[in-house]
């Protein structure tokens, strides 16, 4: 079991890497295949959209056939196959298709891990285990920053992505061999997604789940590169450094949110205050988009730190799930979380294009951050009325 979980976490490292590596590669993809920030925003959005769309079938598969086959087959076919297509891409359309395949491949790995945690361990420590998984997995986010920039400059982006395809395939095979599915709940209880949607408490959590992760994931996954390059003139290596620092902040935040709920005796207020601080970081960039490199870096780092409440929100939702619907429950939460990123990434491209045609680039980027911040504030306003629960 432990070896299987270890490789699931490694697979999640790859998932975090794939959702973030476009930001660093944006300059070389622009020069090689004519990619623009807008077209790469679409590619990033495709990843998140496919990932989100897969959550419902993944949840059903987890409850019915378990983690082993669900995670290994999808990661091998979609993850390794999509990375191979990316490495051979002739234009941006190929990149977008490849990102969709990679999103399909990555879609089950975190939820397969959470499913095992929910079946094997108590609900009281689920948030901590979930946060540790996100924290370790976020090392992929870090690898997609400066190390990715170094690899691209040293051997080329195509060769680097071919290497990623090989590693992804090997991890998928390890999952097939090492995962041991936990025992299913006793009895013959039936249920469906509609049973979960009939739980009123969840509807006060869903909105913040939808918007809470979108700013940090969207900025780290794409917009930090164009923003720092266009507004402050940073090089690929310098963008990689800023991305790395933001990624470290996201790791720290993921580790911190889990135990803080037990330390303070409240899950709701830890999540709420953290997301409000993340929203204020976005709004501060809106107010001063070109103040200085240092200020901009501090604000995107704050966004990464406070925008890492994803595992805590999943744990909050998990506390309302019946045992026989845990697989569908955690994937439903993930659908809202990742779906929100996908929607906002898709929307960010035409929104930024429209703004950049009518105002200076710094103001356009500032407005983009401002919309991210306002969305989180709306989610927080609804979440304020949710039930606080730690069990």
């Amino acid at each position: 079991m432990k070896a299987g979980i270890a490789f699931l976490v490694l697979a999640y490292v790859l998932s975090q890497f794939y959702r973030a590596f476009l930001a660093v590669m944006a300059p070389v993809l622009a020069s090689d295949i004519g990619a623009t920030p807008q077209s790469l925003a679409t590619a990033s959005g495709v990843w998140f959209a496919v990932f989100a769309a897969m959550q419902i079938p993944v949840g059903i598969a987890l409850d019915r056939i378990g983690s082993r086959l669900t995670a290994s087959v999808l990661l091998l076919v979609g993850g390794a196959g999509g990375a191979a297509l990316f490495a051979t891409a002739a234009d941006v359309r190929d990149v977008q298709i490849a990102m969709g395949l990679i999103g399909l491949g990555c879609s089950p790995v975190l939820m397969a891990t959470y499913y095992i945690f929910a079946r094997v361990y108590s609900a009281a420590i689920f948030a901590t285990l979930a946060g540790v998984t996100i924290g370790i997995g976020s090392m992929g986010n870090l690898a997609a920053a400066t190390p990715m920039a170094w690899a691209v400059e040293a051997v080329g982006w195509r060769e680097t992505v071919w290497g990623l395809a090989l590693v992804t395939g090997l991890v998928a095979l390890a999952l097939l061999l090492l995962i041991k599915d936990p025992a299913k709940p006793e009895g013959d209880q039936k249920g469906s997604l509609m049973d979960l949607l009939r739980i009123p408490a969840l509807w006060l959590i869903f909105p913040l789940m939808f918007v809470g992760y979108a700013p940090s994931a969207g900025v780290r996954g794409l917009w930090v590169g164009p923003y720092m390059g266009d507004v402050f003139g940073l090089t690929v290596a310098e963008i990689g450094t800023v991305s790395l620092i933001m990624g470290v902040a996201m790791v720290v935040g993921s580790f911190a949110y889990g135990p803080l709920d037990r330390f303070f005796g409240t899950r709701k207020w830890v999540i709420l205050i953290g997301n409000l601080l993340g929203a204020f970081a976005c709004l501060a960039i809106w107010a001063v988009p070109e103040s200085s490199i240092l200020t901009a870096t501090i604000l995107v780092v704050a966004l990464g730190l406070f925008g890492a409440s994803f595992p805590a929100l999943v744990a909050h939702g998990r506390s309302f799930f019946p045992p026989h619907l845990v697989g569908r429950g955690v994937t439903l939460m993930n659908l809202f979380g990742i779906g929100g990123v996908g929607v906002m990434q898709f929307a960010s491209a035409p929104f930024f294009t429209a703004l950049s045609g009518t105002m200076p680039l710094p103001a356009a980027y500032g407005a983009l951050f401002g919309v991210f911040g306002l969305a989180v504030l709306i989610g927080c306003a609804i979440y304020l009325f949710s039930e606080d629960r730690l069990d």
Side-chain angles (χ1 to χ4, degrees):
M1 178 69 76
K2 291 181 179 179
I5 290 176
F7 273 93
L8 276 171
V9 174
L10 180 56
Y12 186 60
V13 170
L14 290 170
S15 177
Q16 286 277 357
F17 180 94
Y18 282 126
R19 73 185 63 181
F21 76 144
L22 286 179
V24 170
M25 290 208 299
V28 294
L29 292 176
S31 61
D32 196 355
I33 61 173
T36 65
Q38 293 86 343
S39 65
L40 292 180
T42 299
S44 178
V46 168
W47 189 99
F48 284 104
V50 172
F51 189 107
M54 284 297 298
Q55 294 310 300
I56 299 303
V58 163
I60 295 171
L62 289 174
D63 283 327
R64 292 183 178 176
I65 67 174
S67 297
R68 185 175 71 92
L69 288 175
T70 303
S72 61
V73 172
L74 288 176
L75 185 62
L76 180 63
V77 175
L85 176 59
F86 195 120
T88 61
D91 54 31
V92 175
R93 180 58 60 88
D94 290 342
V95 169
Q96 292 168 347
I97 295 171
M99 290 298 289
L101 282 172
I102 295 171
L104 181 145
C106 294
S107 64
V109 293
L110 179 63
M111 293 302 102
T113 312
Y114 281 8
Y115 178 79
I116 293 173
F117 287 161
R119 299 293 331 136
V120 175
Y121 301 101
S122 70
I125 64 170
F126 181 89
T128 298
L129 292 173
V132 168
T133 302
I134 295 280
I136 296 173
S138 295
M139 298 302 175
N141 198 313
L142 304 185
T146 302
M148 181 63 181
W150 289 340
V152 169
E153 290 185 348
V155 301
W157 69 270
R158 293 186 187 275
E159 292 78 6
T160 300
V161 179
W162 270 120
L164 291 168
L166 175 61
V167 171
T168 304
L170 292 174
V171 171
L173 292 175
L175 296 180
L176 182 63
L177 294 173
L178 297 174
I179 290 178
K180 293 180 173 59
D181 289 314
K184 295 185 180 299
E186 295 182 0
D188 191 30
Q189 290 178 291
K190 303 294 183 182
S192 69
L193 183 64
M194 294 306 299
D195 295 321
L196 292 169
L197 295 176
R198 293 189 189 103
I199 300 174
L202 293 177
W203 286 98
L204 296 174
I205 302 173
F206 287 154
L208 186 56
M209 193 74 203
F210 188 76
V211 300
Y213 182 48
S216 57
V219 171
R220 172 61 192 87
L222 176 65
W223 289 107
V224 66
Y227 171 56
M228 289 294 179
D230 290 342
V231 176
F232 300 105
L234 269 60
T235 65
V236 172
E238 290 167 338
I239 290 171
T241 300
V242 175
S243 299
L244 178 64
I245 298 170
M246 184 181 181
V248 170
M250 294 173 74
V251 172
V252 173
S254 297
F255 278 113
Y257 268 104
L260 282 178
D261 57 8
R262 286 182 290 160
F263 180 81
F264 288 108
T266 172
R267 179 169 291 151
K268 169 183 173 178
W269 291 100
V270 167
I271 293 171
L272 184 64
I273 292 172
N275 277 276
L276 286 172
L277 291 172
F280 291 150
C282 288
L283 296 176
I285 294 177
W286 187 8
V288 287
E290 53 181 336
S291 56
S292 70
I293 296 174
L294 178 61
T295 299
T297 300
I298 290 172
L299 291 173
V300 297
V301 168
L303 172 59
L305 177 67
F306 296 115
S309 64
F310 181 93
L313 279 164
V314 173
H316 196 177
R318 159 72 181 90
S319 64
F320 297 99
F321 302 153
H324 63 291
L325 291 176
V326 166
R328 272 163 277 198
V330 293
T331 54
L332 178 63
M333 294 296 292
N334 205 29
L335 170 62
F336 277 89
I338 300 301
V341 180
V343 169
M344 293 183 76
Q345 284 292 74
F346 274 123
S348 67
F351 178 74
F352 179 78
T353 299
L355 290 179
S356 60
T358 59
M359 63 178 64
L361 278 177
Y365 282 112
L368 179 65
F369 278 91
V371 170
F372 281 148
L374 290 174
V376 175
L377 287 181
I378 293 170
C380 287
I382 298 170
Y383 184 74
L384 179 64
F385 299 96
S386 65
E387 177 185 344
D388 198 358
R389 182 181 285 192
L390 284 174
D391 57 352

